[in-house]
Amino acid sequence: MGELLSATFGIESPVATVAAALAVIVLLGLVLLFLRQTFAGRPRRASGQGPRLAVVDHVAVDDRRRLVLVRRDRIEHLLMIGGPSDIVIEAGIGASAATAQPAKAAGEPARPAGPARIEPVPRPARQEPAGGAKA
């Protein structure tokens, strides 16, 4: 092996061989340190954990809009997407009231944690056609 190193790299003493091996180890360490610093911002998950974000269910409301139930960290959010603007129908489903609602600014009224009640719109009374004729 000494002859191979001597012929290839011009290394003739064992001290030079050890110095070359140490230089290679230091270079590998620097590359590893650079890669760790470059990708340090990505969150690390323990092995075996599932994805943090998932679409649980979705349903079409009309041709453009959809209701989408999204789960993030065991908390679900109901969204309506596809219209002129995307809106959050209900946030924090399955979470305690403290984690479901973000901190409110001073002077801002508090909203209940549950879903908003939608009142039905009364239908107008049916009118008979003029002249007493039945349709």
Side-chain angles (χ1 to χ4, degrees), residues 16-30:
T17 304
V18 171
L22 285 176
V24 168
I25 291 172
V26 168
L27 285 174
L28 287 174
L30 288 174

Side-chain angles (χ1 to χ4, degrees), residues 43-112:
R44 295 180 183 163
R45 290 185 289 149
S47 61
Q49 280 186 335
R52 293 183 60 207
L53 184 65
V55 175
V56 176
D57 199 6
H58 61 90
V59 65
V61 175
D62 55 26
D63 290 339
R64 296 184 60 197
R65 296 178 297 169
R66 298 183 78 77
L67 278 174
V68 180
L69 186 61
V70 177
R71 180 181 296 133
R72 176 196 51 86
D73 295 336
R74 297 184 305 266
I75 300 172
E76 294 179 349
H77 306 280
L78 184 61
L79 312 171
M80 183 176 290
I81 61 171
S85 64
D86 299 339
I87 59 173
V88 177
I89 303 293
E90 186 175 357
I93 303 169
S96 67
T99 60
Q101 297 295 326
K104 298 288 182 183
E108 190 175 332
R111 280 193 325 190

